[in-house]
């Protein structure tokens, strides 16, 4: 933060290559397969077919639009479809071993492309790389390679939705992944939408997806907590992104309740509940709230007004605001208005932590480099302190949704 302007770092942006631009990043032995795949591939996402799709890969346009929106740096999650995938889902069923190998090749191509994209503005981009969970040794190898290539945004953790056939995230099978992330100080990011099972094509499917998708993403928290990942790897960092933040205090209360109840029950062998708590105290060592305080963070994309009063219960040092650029539900081009809508009246030092300081600490941004840029383009402290009378008429972000100040999910 400069003297009178905020240094805004978006902890949730998205990027990816135009489809054919992934080809040079594939190993040559996959080029013919890629040509055949790309010739018939139909992109399922409307925003990747629109005129504005190049926001995903046009570096100059991206820097200009983010600066105009008051943002000086970003954590870059994937967006476009990697080669050989039917969609962006890392948990999509894999029919054959050959197809599995092609998808790994596609993810490596994306990660290589993203490293180059971030290198065009290395102080201002922290890229998040992708892996698959089906082959843990290969995942560990790619984590080392991607981190070594400069992708300091960390790992995008796939979900294990029902029907995926993968071990649950609490499984010790993933310990080599947690170990290498701890060793290299690589954040483990779990983004909303990556853990939901397929719901089919019925008319209600989209509504049900909206109701359930964040819950399926939240599961990573209690899986890793109860699975003891943080006891075995105390330096591991988990970031839950674009899942809201208002749910966190209530869920931590619930997890603490079950933890205490089951640990206590485990000492009373004659009770029916004893078996549910067996070994829990040893495997976890600390309660869920303490694990949250020690190891977890929230990428609180376009934080809503009702979530801000909960900041002390969530942890002021845990919250990282995000714009979700270039998605339609993101705050662009009304980030300043979105920040006013959420943070007017909040002490400036607290706003500074949530909109940039925390992300700088978690993802390794150098504020001595970013603050001078923010001194020119960042929103002013005075501006954000002024309440927003009315949301912009054409704003599409849920931060401005009617009733947004009273909803609790």
């Amino acid at each position: 933060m400069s003297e009178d302007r905020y240094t805004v770092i978006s902890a949730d942006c998205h990027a990816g290559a135009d489809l054919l631009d992934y080809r040079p990043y594939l190993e040559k032995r996959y080029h013919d397969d890629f040509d055949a795949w790309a010739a018939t591939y139909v992109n399922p996402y409307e925003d990747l077919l629109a005129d504005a799709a190049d926001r995903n890969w046009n570096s100059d346009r991206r820097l200009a639009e983010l600066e105009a929106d008051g943002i000086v740096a970003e954590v870059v999650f994937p967006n476009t479809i990697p080669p050989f995938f039917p969609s962006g889902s890392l948990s999509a069923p894999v029919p054959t071993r050959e197809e599995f190998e092609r998808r790994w090749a596609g993810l490596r191509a994306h990660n290589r492309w993203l490293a180059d994209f971030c290198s065009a503005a290395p102080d201002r981009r922290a890229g998040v790389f992708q892996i698959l969970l089906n082959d843990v040794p290969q995942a560990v190898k790619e984590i080392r390679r991607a981190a070594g290539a400069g992708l300091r945004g960390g790992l995008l953790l796939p979900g294990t939705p029902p029907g995926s056939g993968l071990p649950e995230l609490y499984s010790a099978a993933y310990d080599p992944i947690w170990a290498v992330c701890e060793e290299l100080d690589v954040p483990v990011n779990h983004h909303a939408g990556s853990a939901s099972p397929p719901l089919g094509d019925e008319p209600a499917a989209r509504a049900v997806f909206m109701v359930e998708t964040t819950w399926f993403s939240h599961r990573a928290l209690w899986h890793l907590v109860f699975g003891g990942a943080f006891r075995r790897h105390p330096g591991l960092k988990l970031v839950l992104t674009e899942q809201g933040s208002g749910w966190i205090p209530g869920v931590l209360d619930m997890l603490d309740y079950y933890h205490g109840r089951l640990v206590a029950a485990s000492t009373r062998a004659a009770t029916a509940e004893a078996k549910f708590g067996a070994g829990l105290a040893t495997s976890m060592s600390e309660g869920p709230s303490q694990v949250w305080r020690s190891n977890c963070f929230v990428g609180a994309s376009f934080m809503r007004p009702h979530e801000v009063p909960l900041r002390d219960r969530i942890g002021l040092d845990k919250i990282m605001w995000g714009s979700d650029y270039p998605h339609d539900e993101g705050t662009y081009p009304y980030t300043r208005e979105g920040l006013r809508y959420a943070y007017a009246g909040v002490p400036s030092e607290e706003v500074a932590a949530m909109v940039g300081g925390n992300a700088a600490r978690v993802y390794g941004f150098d504020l001595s480099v970013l603050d001078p840029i923010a001194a020119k383009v960042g929103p002013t402290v005075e501006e954000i302190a002024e309440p927003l009378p009315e949301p912009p008429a054409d704003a599409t972000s849920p931060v401005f949704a009617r009733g947004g100040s009273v909803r609790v999910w």
Side-chain angles (χ1 to χ4, degrees):
M1 174 177 183
S2 64
E3 185 174 341
D4 63 345
R5 291 180 184 264
Y6 291 114
T7 300
V8 180
I9 300 171
S10 172
D12 180 26
C13 288
H14 296 264
D18 199 3
L19 185 66
L20 298 181
D21 290 341
Y22 281 122
R23 190 179 191 273
Y25 293 93
L26 281 165
E27 293 98 328
K28 288 184 179 179
R29 68 181 183 272
Y30 292 108
H31 283 187
D32 289 344
D33 285 350
F34 176 79
D35 293 342
W37 173 80
T40 60
Y41 183 74
V42 178
N43 198 310
Y45 299 110
E46 293 181 4
D47 64 320
L48 297 180
L49 301 173
D51 291 341
D54 75 325
R55 287 173 173 152
N56 284 282
W57 56 80
N58 185 328
S59 183
D60 291 341
R61 176 179 184 173
R62 191 178 185 99
L63 287 171
E65 292 190 348
L66 288 175
E67 283 191 7
D69 217 24
I71 297 170
V72 297
E74 55 176 332
V75 179
V76 187
F77 283 83
N79 198 39
T80 61
I81 309 301
F84 307 120
F85 277 74
S87 70
S89 174
L90 300 186
S91 299
V94 183
T96 66
R97 181 70 192 184
E98 184 181 21
E99 178 63 17
F100 176 65
E101 290 300 331
R102 280 197 294 262
R103 291 191 190 179
W104 256 118
L107 290 191
R108 290 193 297 270
H110 167 83
N111 295 342
R112 293 184 187 110
W113 175 88
L114 185 59
D116 275 0
F117 183 74
C118 290
S119 71
D123 296 318
R124 304 177 68 173
R125 292 175 182 152
V128 177
F129 57 85
Q130 301 183 80
I131 63 164
L132 293 171
L133 295 176
N134 311 60
D135 186 327
V136 170
Q138 195 165 351
V140 170
K141 181 179 179 181
E142 182 60 13
I143 291 167
R144 290 191 179 280
R145 192 208 63 78
L151 289 174
R152 57 190 168 86
L155 163 70
L156 177 60
L157 178 65
T160 57
S164 69
L166 295 168
E168 297 287 0
L169 288 177
Y170 53 69
S171 172
Y174 302 124
D175 255 21
I177 292 176
W178 315 143
V180 72
C181 288
E182 179 185 35
E183 175 194 342
L184 300 177
D185 195 26
V186 167
V188 174
N189 305 279
H190 193 56
H191 195 281
S194 65
S196 298
L199 294 171
D201 299 320
E202 295 295 324
R206 286 185 179 271
V208 171
F209 174 84
M210 290 296 292
V211 171
E212 295 181 348
T213 185
T214 51
W215 182 86
F216 276 108
S217 297
H218 299 344
R219 293 174 76 224
L221 173 62
W222 52 81
H223 278 229
L224 269 66
V225 166
F226 285 122
F230 300 106
R231 181 191 67 79
R232 297 187 299 276
H233 309 285
L236 188 65
K237 293 187 291 192
L238 175 67
V239 183
L240 303 173
T241 297
E242 201 178 332
Q243 304 176 27
S245 61
W247 59 276
I248 292 169
V251 164
L252 290 177
D253 288 346
M254 177 191 71
L255 298 181
D256 283 343
Y257 164 75
Y258 278 112
H259 176 258
R261 173 179 164 181
L262 294 173
V263 168
S266 69
T267 66
R268 299 189 292 273
T271 67
E273 278 197 346
K275 63 181 179 182
F276 290 100
L280 195 59
T282 303
S283 68
M284 286 184 57
S285 76
E286 293 181 330
S289 286
Q290 183 56 48
V291 173
W292 175 265
R293 287 191 290 270
S294 300
N295 299 89
C296 303
F297 303 86
V298 58
S301 308
F302 39 77
M303 201 171 187
R304 297 163 176 82
H306 77 272
E307 296 170 308
V308 177
L310 300 171
R311 62 191 181 277
D312 290 328
R313 293 181 63 196
I314 297 167
L316 186 62
D317 61 335
K318 302 294 179 182
I319 297 169
M320 301 181 291
W321 177 89
S323 72
D324 202 27
Y325 177 95
H327 289 167
D328 289 344
E329 64 268 27
T331 56
Y332 177 82
Y334 297 116
T335 285
R336 289 177 171 81
E337 290 80 359
L339 293 174
R340 287 175 61 190
Y341 201 56
Y343 294 127
V346 175
S348 60
E349 64 274 13
E350 297 185 10
V351 176
M354 292 186 283
V355 303
N358 294 335
R361 186 178 74 256
V362 172
Y363 292 105
F365 289 101
D366 187 344
L367 290 177
S368 69
V369 174
L370 298 180
D371 284 347
I373 304 172
K376 300 176 183 177
V377 304
T380 67
V381 172
E382 183 180 12
E383 176 185 11
I384 302 307
E386 184 69 24
L388 186 71
E390 290 289 336
D394 58 343
T396 55
S397 173
V399 72
F400 300 117
R402 292 186 180 275
S405 61
V406 296
R407 290 198 297 246
V408 295
W409 54 83

